[in-house]
Amino acid sequence: MKMKISLRLGLAFVAMLLLVIVTAVVGIMSLNRLGESMDTMATQARQSAALGSIHAGVQKVESSLLAACEDPSEAARSNVRLLLATVNGEITDFEHPMRPEGVSMAQFLASDPEATESCSGHCHQSESLLNLEAKWVAFTDATEEYMEQTKVQVVHLPTARAFMGPVTEAVLLATDNLAQEQLVSLAAEKAEASEVEASTRRLMLAAAIVAAVVGALLAITITRSLTVPLSRLVSVS
């Protein structure tokens, strides 16, 4: 009888231990996935904000360029160059979010031999991002061309506005398309995070119910294994 009770107690302990381990492992995996989703959502939120800043910066460059066409001074051209460099840096930061702030791409790649490989796995994968790059290059070339013209002659403002308008709109449209993709991706990530959270709660609830049921069954079984033989011994006595 002692061996039988000991065996049942051992099996009960092993069953409860396995239940706790499985629940803990699955719970930790779910929490890790939830943490990754939160990090991804935070990154996407920052990128959405960056796209808004790029959108506004492109419009500022166009306005400053048109103002430089009317006032072709070195100060006006310097302001355009400054705004152009600012937007270019913001686009670079958006394309390479793994690069630490304030570190140039050359420094970033030199400091980490694996940076090129890791960046190639992230950068330039979206068709919308490639489209933004192409439109931005066209916008930059057109801006630089007009900047050179203002050094030697007064640029006809309506002509510059008519030419720069479609170029600017192309960049803004590419930015808006990329921002829309970011919003869709963010919504999908939020939905996945909500599903992971809900599944984790269901898992914990199911584990608690199973543990309670198994514990109750084991308690009844062990109790009966003790009381039934004792009752028989009492009857025989």
Side-chain angles (χ1 to χ4, degrees):
M1 183 176 67
K2 290 182 179 180
M3 289 297 295
K4 187 175 181 180
I5 294 174
S6 299
L7 180 60
R8 291 184 179 184
L9 287 173
L11 291 175
F13 177 76
V14 171
M16 296 297 292
L17 183 61
L18 288 176
L19 180 63
V20 171
I21 292 175
V22 171
T23 304
V25 170
V26 176
I28 291 173
M29 292 176 62
S30 299
L31 290 176
N32 288 338
R33 180 66 190 91
L34 186 60
E36 292 175 359
S37 296
M38 297 298 293
D39 292 340
T40 301
M41 286 190 290
T43 300
Q44 290 176 342
R46 289 194 298 269
Q47 289 182 327
S48 296
L51 287 172
S53 180
I54 292 171
H55 191 282
V58 171
Q59 292 177 316
K60 289 180 181 179
V61 173
E62 183 193 26
S63 299
S64 299
L65 177 62
L66 295 178
C69 290
E70 291 185 312
D71 177 24
S73 62
E74 185 59 33
R77 287 193 294 270
S78 297
N79 184 48
V80 176
R81 293 192 186 95
L82 177 61
L83 293 173
L84 197 65
T86 299
V87 177
N88 189 67
E90 291 176 343
I91 293 178
T92 301
D93 289 338
F94 181 85
E95 294 172 336
H96 308 278
M98 296 175 62
R99 180 171 64 90
E101 185 177 356
V103 178
S104 67
M105 280 305 300
Q107 293 172 332
F108 175 55
L109 297 177
S111 63
D112 186 0
E114 298 180 356
T116 303
E117 182 178 354
S118 62
C119 185
S120 64
H122 169 80
C123 305
H124 313 297
Q125 296 296 312
S126 170
E127 182 177 350
S128 297
L129 180 56
L130 293 175
N131 184 47
L132 174 60
E133 290 178 337
K135 301 304 181 184
W136 173 248
V137 170
F139 179 87
T140 302
D141 291 343
T143 302
E144 293 290 350
E145 182 179 348
Y146 273 107
M147 292 281 287
E148 291 298 323
Q149 291 184 22
T150 57
K151 292 181 180 181
V152 296
Q153 63 183 8
V154 177
V155 178
H156 188 233
L157 185 59
T159 303
R161 183 180 287 112
F163 180 81
M164 289 299 300
V167 179
T168 303
E169 286 298 323
V171 179
L172 297 180
L173 180 60
T175 305
D176 292 340
N177 290 338
L178 196 55
Q180 186 62 33
E181 283 188 2
Q182 289 290 319
L183 291 176
V184 172
S185 179
L186 181 59
E189 200 66 35
K190 285 182 178 179
E192 184 176 353
S194 299
E195 178 59 29
V196 171
E197 182 180 3
S199 63
T200 303
R201 290 179 178 178
R202 291 193 296 267
L203 172 67
M204 296 302 180
L205 179 60
I209 293 174
V210 171
V213 172
V214 171
L217 292 176
L218 290 174
I220 293 172
T221 302
I222 293 173
T223 301
R224 285 180 60 84
S225 67
L226 292 173
T227 56
V228 171
L230 289 175
S231 296
R232 291 175 180 174
L233 286 176
V234 170
S235 299
V236 171
S237 299

